[in-house]
Amino acid sequence: MPLQQIETLLRTKGTTTGEHRVIGPDGSFGWQEWTNQAICDEKGNVIEFQAIGRDISDRKLTEEKLHRSEAILQEAHRVAHLGSWELDLIAQKLNWSEEMFYIMGLNPAQPEPSYEDFLKLSHPDDLNMYLQLIEQALAQGTSYEVDRRIIWPNGVIRYIECQGNVARDAQGKPIRLFGTMRDITDRKQFEQTLRSQAEQEQILRTITAHIRRSLDLDTILTTTVTEVRQFFQADRVLICRFQSDWSGVVVVESVGDPQMSVLGNKFRDPCFATRYAELYSQGRTQVIEDIETAKMTPATGNFLPHFK
């Protein structure tokens, strides 16, 4: 902890948070975030410092990619080929540029789709909103700009940025809709990544706040499983303690209704102890999704999963 932060904690008796770069054993650079807390006695005297650190290299890398992507996007606005389209309201004929085929996931060698087929590519949850914007533009003569989802013929969901406007005749009657579309899926994925990381950081801040209020281990563990279960909307989150023979016992649990509590339950999995315990102790963990029907051993009542 830098001397300046120690002086600040001694003066304020509060909390400091800072980020700094680190160099790994292989010479690579990374980032860490440290939260430092002054612990005081009953008289308000600082008796110790508590520090919690975490690796934020992935978050920093994502932010850097996002900033770089935004800079490239600004330059791309000048040189990029946007998908453009035009709808003749009288003939109900849709015309669009070649780039529109790629944006919509269609083969540019095929004929342009009808307006109805074009709308069928909209995500059903976004279609009504999109149609309302078009109706408003036609009624009020205004332009619109919106981000919405489309579904390619192969089922892939993409995000597109839509801009549209209305052309009218001499009498003010709408005769043409026209606009541009741009695929912004990568940007949306970056934003979602940052949101997910922010939510995970919020869990850590909540847990850290509880730790500061109480150094009781049971309180810390209970807070941890509760916050993690709420974040992932899971039915159950638990912490098990392994014994020397790799049997275990559930020591902390957060469980939602109507699930039955397994707190205090002891378990022994012969498959784990004989086949996987050594690998597990070396940090070699793996999630296997394809599990056949589990079999119960009559002697112990334990379930033995059989993996393909």
Side-chain angles (χ1 to χ4, degrees):
M1 187 185 304
L3 179 60
Q4 183 179 2
Q5 291 191 20
I6 295 177
E7 294 175 347
T8 300
L9 289 173
L10 289 172
R11 183 178 68 257
T12 64
K13 301 177 182 179
T15 303
T16 63
T17 300
E19 301 175 357
H20 62 87
R21 300 187 70 181
V22 295
I23 302 177
D26 59 352
S28 61
F29 288 94
W31 284 87
Q32 291 182 351
E33 179 186 75
W34 284 88
T35 299
N36 308 301
Q37 170 78 24
I39 306 299
C40 302
D41 60 16
E42 297 179 353
K43 298 181 180 180
N45 298 316
V46 178
I47 57 175
E48 65 176 276
F49 297 109
Q50 182 184 84
I52 299 178
R54 61 194 221 83
D55 188 345
I56 59 171
S57 301
D58 289 341
R59 191 194 78 189
K60 285 291 188 179
L61 179 60
T62 301
E63 291 174 350
E64 180 182 351
K65 288 181 178 179
L66 180 59
H67 294 156
R68 185 163 57 246
S69 175
E70 290 175 343
I72 294 174
L73 186 59
Q74 291 177 359
E75 178 64 14
H77 283 167
R78 184 177 66 86
V79 298
H81 297 288
L82 297 177
S84 60
W85 58 272
E86 178 182 273
L87 175 63
D88 186 328
L89 296 174
I90 307 301
Q92 285 294 298
K93 179 69 170 66
L94 180 64
N95 297 297
W96 62 15
S97 65
E98 182 177 350
E99 188 68 20
M100 281 291 297
F101 285 96
Y102 298 110
I103 292 175
M104 305 304 289
L106 300 176
N107 184 352
Q110 70 183 44
E112 294 168 333
S114 66
Y115 183 58
E116 289 74 17
D117 290 336
F118 164 70
L119 292 179
K120 289 179 182 178
L121 295 173
S122 297
H123 193 288
D125 293 341
D126 295 349
L127 179 57
N128 287 338
M129 174 268 296
Y130 182 57
L131 291 176
Q132 289 174 5
L133 285 175
I134 293 177
E135 291 176 0
Q136 180 178 337
L138 291 173
Q140 302 178 6
T142 57
S143 61
Y144 65 85
E145 181 175 347
V146 65
D147 297 346
R148 66 185 183 95
R149 292 166 292 178
I150 60 172
I151 303 178
W152 282 1
N154 62 2
V156 173
I157 297 177
R158 307 290 291 181
Y159 286 85
I160 57 174
E161 178 186 78
C162 306
Q163 296 180 342
N165 213 327
V166 180
R168 299 175 179 272
D169 61 15
Q171 289 72 40
K173 179 182 177 180
I175 58 173
R176 187 165 54 94
L177 272 172
F178 62 95
T180 61
M181 291 189 181
R182 183 196 305 277
D183 190 316
I184 58 170
T185 305
D186 290 343
R187 191 187 82 192
K188 288 292 186 179
Q189 290 175 343
F190 275 129
E191 293 172 354
Q192 180 59 44
T193 298
L194 291 179
R195 282 194 295 269
S196 297
Q197 291 180 343
E199 291 171 351
Q200 294 172 13
E201 291 168 7
Q202 180 58 44
I203 291 181
L204 181 61
R205 286 194 292 268
T206 302
I207 294 174
T208 302
H210 282 276
I211 293 175
R212 293 170 186 162
R213 290 196 293 268
S214 173
L215 296 180
D216 178 68
L217 181 60
D218 290 338
T219 300
I220 294 172
L221 295 180
T222 300
T223 299
T224 300
V225 294
T226 300
E227 294 295 333
V228 171
R229 186 177 72 82
Q230 291 176 352
F231 174 76
F232 288 106
Q233 296 295 300
D235 293 330
R236 185 193 311 274
V237 173
L238 53 83
I239 296 177
C240 297
R241 178 185 294 119
F242 284 112
Q243 309 298 332
S244 59
D245 61 354
W246 290 104
S247 62
V249 59
V250 179
V251 294
V252 183
E253 176 190 43
S254 176
V255 60
D257 294 332
Q259 304 295 323
M260 180 182 298
S261 174
V262 295
L263 185 63
N265 282 18
K266 298 180 180 179
F267 62 88
R268 179 188 297 273
D269 185 347
C271 291
F272 179 80
T274 58
R275 301 180 186 178
Y276 310 117
E278 182 177 354
L279 296 175
Y280 179 82
S281 64
Q282 297 172 3
R284 297 173 61 183
T285 59
Q286 181 180 10
V287 175
I288 302 176
E289 298 180 353
D290 192 1
I291 303 177
E292 295 180 345
T293 303
K295 298 180 180 180
M296 178 178 285
T297 60
T300 64
N302 289 333
F303 284 99
L304 300 181
H306 291 253
F307 301 99
K308 287 185 178 180

